[in-house]
Amino acid sequence: MTDRELDAAGITDPSLRRAYAHCRRLNARHGKTYFLATRLLTVERRPAVHALYGFARWADDIVDSLDPTQSADRRAGALARLQEDLAAGLRAGRSAEPTVRALADTARRYAIDHRHFGDFMTAMRSDLEVTGYATYADLRAYMHGSAAVIGLQMLPVLGTVVPREEAAPHAAALGVAFQLTNFLRDVGEDLDRDRVYLPADLLRAHGVDRELLRWSRDRGRPDRRITQALRAFEDLTRGVYREAAPGIAMLDPVSRPCIRTAFVLYSGILDVIAGSGHDVVHRRAVVPRRRRAAVAVDGLVRVTAARLGARRRARRGAARPTASPARSSSPPSAGSPPAPAHQEVA
């Protein structure tokens, strides 16, 4: 399938194809939910999504490594080298680092604002030093770079039926909702990295602090106060999903099934967490395979209907007299010239 995706996207350079294939493998191995949803995109758009998530995954792996041989200084050095590679790659449009090479090509093809990548790297550097957040406002400021900008990077690839700036807040909110879900799901694993992403003020309101979380993790024993705090964080996260939901209808119809599938699967993690009694300090919540398959089948039905609808509209448009071309928010085709790099497209 990789060759078909790359051919459809007009990516012909052998070394560039290898870079995109590397990003695709990273997604398939680490991001099962995202990878499944990406399969519902039109084939020519998939490599760009693999590049965006592949780079994010690569940077995140540097920061989150539990390898005891990777000291904080070594991880900081690796992240600094990646940032240097990123800056040079975005300027030149190429890099020896495969994730940067694919990312730079995607940024050029879809005219993705380079500031989004800089904000992301700022958040990654923060993860090397910051181990907790005093308030939800502090956490949201961090998540602008770690999550919201991922949604903003994706928007030019997905395409919109409204002006892009109208869809942007919802795309950013969806990135934040996904990350909040990760924070809730990974409370125990983050504790093992000496990190607590649940805001201290929210925890304190329920009589919880880092020491109580650590005690519960180490002893394998639940605590009613922790359960109440986790339930409050779940409610907060569901509120962000509600902020994001209107944005799905603003996307190009052929992209909606992909994002709807990711939305349903990721918000479904909250259902699993609630069903487990919010026992995420001791174990990781996972959506059952049967549920993932059912949602994927629904997505396939929706994407088939969307593509048939697009073909009917194209046939009707071909039958009408030619009019002046209208400005579109859909991504450029493989054969169209890319917009200039480092430019925000409205």
Side-chain angles (χ1 to χ4, degrees):
M1 182 64 75
T2 303
D3 286 342
R4 179 170 168 249
E5 292 171 355
L6 296 172
D7 291 344
I11 300 166
T12 57
D13 179 84
S15 63
L16 186 57
R17 288 169 73 93
R18 288 193 294 272
Y20 273 103
H22 174 73
C23 291
R24 187 181 188 276
R25 287 192 295 272
L26 285 174
N27 288 341
R29 184 166 69 248
H30 292 294
K32 292 181 173 60
T33 298
Y34 287 130
F35 187 76
L36 176 62
T38 301
R39 302 279 292 177
L40 300 176
L41 276 177
T42 54
V43 66
E44 73 277 2
R45 304 188 202 203
R46 295 176 200 168
V49 177
H50 293 319
L52 294 173
Y53 278 111
F55 176 81
R57 182 74 260 174
W58 187 249
D60 198 54
D61 282 350
I62 292 173
V63 170
D64 284 345
S65 174
L66 288 174
D67 184 346
T69 67
Q70 295 295 312
S71 66
D73 286 344
R74 291 187 68 173
R75 284 183 284 134
L79 196 65
R81 288 190 294 275
L82 180 61
Q83 182 151 17
E84 291 172 3
D85 288 344
L86 173 65
L90 289 173
R91 284 195 303 269
R94 61 185 181 275
S95 174
E97 164 55 53
T99 59
V100 173
R101 176 93 191 264
L103 182 77
D105 184 69
T106 290
R108 179 188 63 83
R109 288 171 181 265
Y110 289 93
I112 300 172
D113 191 331
H114 291 186
R115 289 176 296 181
H116 297 328
F117 305 118
D119 289 347
F120 173 76
M121 293 303 293
T122 297
M124 293 299 98
R125 289 198 306 274
S126 173
D127 267 337
L128 292 175
E129 302 170 356
V130 179
T131 62
Y133 295 87
T135 68
Y136 181 56
D138 294 334
L139 184 64
R140 284 296 292 249
Y142 159 75
M143 287 191 296
H144 167 74
S146 64
V149 297
I150 303 296
L152 298 174
Q153 291 168 24
M154 285 279 291
L155 206 52
V157 179
L158 299 172
T160 60
V161 294
V162 299
R164 195 171 294 161
E165 62 269 18
E166 184 178 340
H170 303 290
L174 189 58
V176 170
F178 287 167
Q179 186 161 66
L180 288 171
T181 303
N182 285 344
F183 289 160
L184 187 58
R185 180 194 64 191
D186 299 339
V187 167
E189 293 177 16
D190 287 332
L191 273 170
D192 293 341
R193 298 184 177 98
D194 195 32
R195 292 192 203 136
V196 176
Y197 287 104
L198 279 62
D201 59 349
L202 181 149
L203 294 174
R204 191 164 52 249
H206 298 277
V208 179
D209 56 18
R210 184 185 291 255
E211 288 69 31
L212 181 61
L213 290 171
R214 186 72 261 169
W215 173 87
S216 179
R217 174 76 169 171
D218 292 343
R219 300 290 182 88
R221 293 176 59 182
D223 185 281
R224 176 181 53 82
R225 293 165 294 176
I226 294 176
T227 301
Q228 291 173 342
L230 296 174
R231 186 179 294 117
F233 195 79
E234 178 205 340
D235 291 342
L236 181 154
T237 304
R238 290 191 187 276
V240 181
Y241 276 105
R242 288 192 291 272
E243 291 176 34
I248 297 176
M250 298 178 183
L251 299 175
D252 185 330
V254 296
S255 296
R256 290 173 198 166
C258 165
I259 301 306
R260 182 184 181 278
T261 296
F263 186 103
V264 172
L265 286 175
Y266 245 84
S267 59
I269 295 173
L270 297 179
D271 298 331
V272 175
I273 290 171
S276 74
H278 298 84
D279 186 21
V280 289
V281 175
H282 312 114
R283 59 186 177 185
R284 199 176 199 252
V286 178
V287 176
R289 288 185 181 179
R290 185 177 301 176
R291 172 62 175 158
R292 290 205 303 267
V295 174
V297 168
D298 177 70
L300 285 171
V301 171
R302 290 173 181 270
V303 80
T304 300
R307 290 174 186 176
L308 289 173
R311 288 170 190 159
R312 285 196 294 269
R313 288 191 295 273
R315 285 197 294 268
R316 286 198 300 269
R320 296 192 188 104
T322 303
S324 298
R327 178 165 162 261
S328 171
S329 294
S330 293
S333 64
S336 63
H342 202 58
Q343 174 183 334
E344 183 72 49
V345 180

